């Protein structure tokens, strides 16, 4: 059996002008900090949103990426909760 090949899309980095525009638009936004973390570290959205205080080492000036925010469908967790309640 041969698996289908996955086509890789070419990544096109932002230009300097686009980064400047991004910074201007994000200034003052409630998500400004997380958007800048994503922009300047190259983290995926789920990695940045999964950061907790224990991931940051302020003395060393490092951030350890060891968690991700997982998106789940609401129906899945609702069904599990209903099943749990029924089992009680």
């Amino acid at each position: 059996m041969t698996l289908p090949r996955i086509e890789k899309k070419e990544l096109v980095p932002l230009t300097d002008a686009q980064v400047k525009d991004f910074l201007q638009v994000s200034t003052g936004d409630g998500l400004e900090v997380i958007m800048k973390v994503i922009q300047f570290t190259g983290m995926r959205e789920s990695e940045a949103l999964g950061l907790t205080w224990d991931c940051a080492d302020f003395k060393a000036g490092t951030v350890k990426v060891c968690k991700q925010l997982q998106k789940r469908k609401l129906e899945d967790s609702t069904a599990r909760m209903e099943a749990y309640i029924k089992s009680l």
Side-chain angles (χ1 to χ4, degrees):
M1 180 166 103
T2 305
L3 297 174
R5 289 210 171 266
I6 298 174
E7 289 186 34
K8 294 183 180 179
K9 295 180 183 177
E10 182 180 344
L11 297 177
V12 181
L14 297 177
T15 64
D16 290 342
Q18 288 171 321
V19 171
K20 183 179 177 183
D21 290 343
F22 172 82
L23 293 174
Q24 285 178 337
V25 170
S26 67
T27 300
D29 188 281
L31 299 173
E32 176 183 1
V33 173
I34 198 73
M35 289 191 289
K36 287 181 178 179
V37 167
I38 292 169
Q39 176 68 38
F40 293 112
T41 64
M43 283 186 206
R44 294 178 178 96
E45 179 183 351
S46 60
E47 292 171 336
L49 293 172
L51 291 174
T52 53
W53 287 111
D54 62 318
C55 297
D57 183 343
F58 293 103
K59 289 181 183 174
T62 61
V63 174
K64 180 172 60 171
V65 179
C66 57
K67 304 171 190 174
Q68 292 184 34
L69 177 68
Q70 298 292 319
K71 296 179 184 177
R72 294 190 206 176
K73 292 183 180 178
L74 184 58
E75 300 83 11
D76 293 344
S77 35
T78 303
R80 274 188 283 173
M81 180 59 79
E82 288 172 357
Y84 174 74
I85 292 170
K86 287 179 184 178
S87 70
L88 295 177

